[in-house]
Amino acid sequence: MIVCLTMAMTLSVSLASAAPLDAFKGKQGTVDIAGGTAHIPVMKEAAKRIMTVNPGIRISIAGGGSGVGVQQVGEGLVQIGNTGRALSSDEVTKYGLVSFAFAIDGVAVVINPANGVNALTAAQVKDIYAGKITNWKELGGEDRAISLYTRDEASGTREVFAKKLLAKGDVAPSANVVPSNGAMKTAVAQDPGAIGYVGIGHIDSTVKAPTMDGMTPSQENAANGTYTITRKLYMNTKGEPAGVVKDFIDYVFTPEGAEIIRASGYIPVAK
């Protein structure tokens, strides 16, 4: 009896976990996705699971930043354009876009793990990026020049960083521009004098995230409101989605999709 009950429970769990993917069975189609790089881990895992159960569906994923996501979906080059920021009213009007916020992400300043500085303030970060503070010794660290890293202007991560930490202040022209969260993390990990910023979901042992105005950057703190440098991640479509594009977006909002979002380091948002 216990064995039968266990088998029944296992079967029930298996059916429940398979249910969200049932929407793709017997269907064919293409979903091309581009834009914000923070979204890529979620999109890739969702695509892998969908294409595993149905090889008749092809899903491609590219980065490029939020600006690229808006442009490509607006011009019909992809079916989903991802952004790490809300669309402007001009973008919505120009392209007829519809947005789906699916996750919350925090944005954190990162430095090289060998750097002895463990705490910064928004005012200090603003002065660093303006070129007013140029050596780590001015912040209690060792005598080493600060190397600035930033993102290009199409980046949603940059937009949140500029708005919430730089108060839309200037970025020194000496700053090195990198194309993605992953590239930022790699650059900071390899440069002992570096300072940059990434989505919290990208933080690992290769970089260090100092406290910011006393706030510890973590997804848990972003979720409970004790870390306030946050943004939403969006999937955007040209008009209301239909067919397998709608199925893909709906899948991201299922319990299985929420599982993928959490595993990628983000906080799920209900549709």
Side-chain angles (χ1 to χ4, degrees):
M1 186 68 176
I2 293 174
V3 172
C4 291
L5 180 60
T6 303
M7 289 177 64
M9 289 174 67
T10 302
L11 180 60
S12 174
V13 170
S14 176
L15 289 172
S17 63
L21 290 169
D22 286 347
F24 300 94
K25 288 184 177 177
K27 295 186 178 180
Q28 292 188 338
T30 299
V31 184
D32 294 317
I33 303 169
T37 59
H39 307 59
I40 289 176
V42 177
M43 302 292 108
K44 277 189 173 179
E45 180 60 25
K48 183 180 80 173
R49 296 188 188 195
I50 292 165
M51 290 189 290
T52 297
V53 300
N54 188 350
I57 296 174
R58 184 186 68 81
I59 304 170
S60 68
I61 298 148
S66 295
V68 169
V70 171
Q71 180 185 16
Q72 292 206 1
V73 74
E75 294 178 355
L77 301 174
V78 299
Q79 288 76 49
I80 298 175
N82 290 330
T83 57
R85 56 170 176 78
L87 298 175
S88 69
S89 57
D90 287 345
E91 289 169 336
V92 173
T93 301
K94 180 179 180 180
Y95 293 121
L97 300 182
V98 179
S99 284
F100 301 89
F102 68 92
I104 295 172
D105 181 29
V107 176
V109 168
V110 288
I111 58 179
N112 187 277
N115 194 323
V117 173
N118 295 309
L120 291 169
T121 67
Q124 288 171 332
V125 172
K126 185 177 180 181
D127 284 347
I128 290 170
Y129 271 85
K132 295 177 181 177
I133 297 176
T134 59
N135 195 296
W136 285 109
K137 69 181 179 181
E138 299 175 65
L139 301 164
E142 64 182 51
D143 184 4
R144 185 186 295 275
I146 296 174
S147 303
L148 292 179
Y149 290 88
T150 190
R151 296 284 304 280
D152 59 77
E153 292 185 1
S155 164
T157 308
R158 172 175 171 151
E159 183 167 319
V160 175
F161 176 77
K163 181 179 179 181
K164 297 203 171 186
L165 277 176
L166 302 187
K168 298 188 176 179
D170 294 332
V171 174
S174 61
N176 303 286
V177 179
V178 294
S180 67
N181 279 288
M184 178 72 80
K185 188 171 66 172
T186 299
V188 172
Q190 295 175 348
D191 184 345
I195 185 169
Y197 50 91
V198 296
I200 289 178
H202 289 264
I203 296 172
D204 59 20
S205 61
T206 65
V207 293
K208 181 166 78 171
T211 61
M212 183 59 52
D213 288 330
M215 300 183 294
T216 300
S218 71
Q219 293 296 10
E220 293 76 15
N221 290 343
N224 64 33
T226 58
Y227 185 78
T228 59
I229 306 163
T230 59
R231 61 169 173 169
K232 288 182 179 178
L233 304 183
Y234 299 83
M235 294 178 285
N236 305 284
T237 58
K238 189 176 180 69
E240 291 291 340
V244 292
V245 176
K246 181 179 185 300
D247 291 336
F248 180 91
I249 291 171
D250 288 344
Y251 176 69
V252 172
F253 286 99
T254 65
E256 188 170 316
E259 200 179 276
I260 294 170
I261 291 166
R262 290 190 193 94
S264 300
Y266 305 127
I267 304 157
V269 171
K271 193 172 181 182

